[in-house]
Amino acid sequence: MIESRVCKLSMFMSLKLLKLRIRIFIWTFTGKIKKLQSRLALTLSQGDPKKILIIFPVDEPSFRVASYVFRDLGKNNVQKKEFIFIVKEQYKELFHLRIGDLIFISHEDNDLILSQEKKLMRTLKINKFDIIVDLNPVFQLSIARLISLLTSEMKVGFTSDFSDNFFNIQLDISKSGIMEKGFNQVNWILAQ
């Protein structure tokens, strides 16, 4: 009885994964997701990123950890960098960074496309970002799609089954399972 439930759950998860893979393939084929053109090897010599977009996690526990890790972001060299933060609207009261520009979004777990994507794209397309960072440790298709449509040399995100399609710098926390280490890696990149 338990084995049949596990088998059904496994088949359901495989079906969800297959549907997601098909959707990404179709969107890439039709141009609704831009293909990632190049891979980078990150070194300190790749420059000092000036224009930075950071997308904070959409789930509350990850958001709280990211907020803590990035609490001192911009204290050094703040005048040299331009930050834009995308934060889920329900965390407005929890977000305390006093640098950069804030954009609030509404997001549900089952969103395939962000509800205000067109408006957000108009706002963000006027920028050419040096680096775009997605701090969501769990893959979010709607956010990855948005990132794919923006221009940047470096796109940073966490490793997942689909991250090769969207990020040329990937943070792998699968061995440690501690997302704070991944956030600290990003913080280190931005502090350079």
Side-chain angles (χ1 to χ4, degrees):
M1 180 91 168
I2 292 174
E3 288 179 17
S4 69
R5 286 185 185 170
V6 170
C7 185
K8 286 180 184 179
L9 180 62
S10 175
M11 287 176 44
F12 174 72
M13 294 304 287
S14 296
L15 185 60
K16 273 183 83 171
L17 192 60
L18 178 63
K19 286 171 67 176
L20 191 54
R21 286 182 195 279
I22 291 170
R23 178 162 277 130
I24 289 172
F25 173 77
I26 291 170
W27 281 357
T28 302
F29 185 72
T30 60
K32 292 183 180 179
I33 291 177
K34 285 189 179 176
K35 186 89 170 131
L36 192 60
Q37 295 301 321
S38 64
R39 300 279 182 242
L40 296 176
L42 182 65
T43 64
L44 291 177
S45 65
Q46 283 196 278
D48 182 21
K50 304 274 187 248
K51 193 163 238 171
I52 302 162
L53 175 66
I54 300 177
I55 303 166
F56 273 77
V58 295
D59 67 292
E60 189 170 351
S62 300
F63 174 82
R64 287 182 180 274
V65 172
S67 293
Y68 177 77
V69 169
F70 289 93
R71 70 191 179 280
D72 293 331
L73 182 66
K75 286 195 175 177
N76 299 327
N77 301 326
V78 71
Q79 68 278 6
K80 296 180 184 178
K81 299 182 189 232
E82 184 179 337
F83 292 98
I84 297 177
F85 303 105
I86 295 179
V87 176
K88 190 173 178 181
E89 193 159 5
Q90 78 181 59
Y91 306 141
K92 189 183 268 188
E93 301 300 318
L94 301 174
F95 191 78
H96 299 294
L97 283 174
R98 300 291 174 224
I99 60 168
D101 295 320
L102 277 168
I103 299 173
F104 293 103
I105 60 168
S106 59
H107 181 275
E108 299 300 323
D109 287 340
N110 57 355
D111 283 350
L112 298 177
I113 298 176
L114 291 173
S115 60
Q116 42 315 49
E117 183 183 80
K118 286 184 182 181
K119 181 181 175 190
L120 196 55
M121 284 303 297
R122 279 194 304 272
T123 303
L124 295 174
K125 276 269 189 175
I126 59 174
N127 298 293
K128 181 181 184 314
F129 295 102
D130 296 312
I131 185 168
I132 297 173
V133 180
D134 179 6
L135 296 177
N136 285 287
V138 176
F139 182 76
Q140 300 289 328
L141 178 59
S142 57
I143 291 172
R145 174 182 146 77
L146 173 73
I147 290 169
S148 78
L149 299 173
L150 296 172
T151 304
S152 177
E153 289 284 323
M154 297 192 314
K155 295 182 179 183
V156 180
F158 285 90
T159 302
S160 73
D161 290 341
F162 309 104
S163 57
D164 287 342
N165 297 316
F166 300 98
F167 307 113
N168 52 10
I169 300 172
Q170 298 176 40
L171 307 169
D172 187 3
I173 59 169
S174 62
K175 291 180 182 165
S176 69
I178 301 171
M179 74 182 125
E180 185 175 352
K181 286 185 178 182
F183 294 155
N184 280 324
Q185 289 174 350
V186 172
N187 204 6
W188 179 80
I189 292 168
L190 298 178
Q192 300 305 312

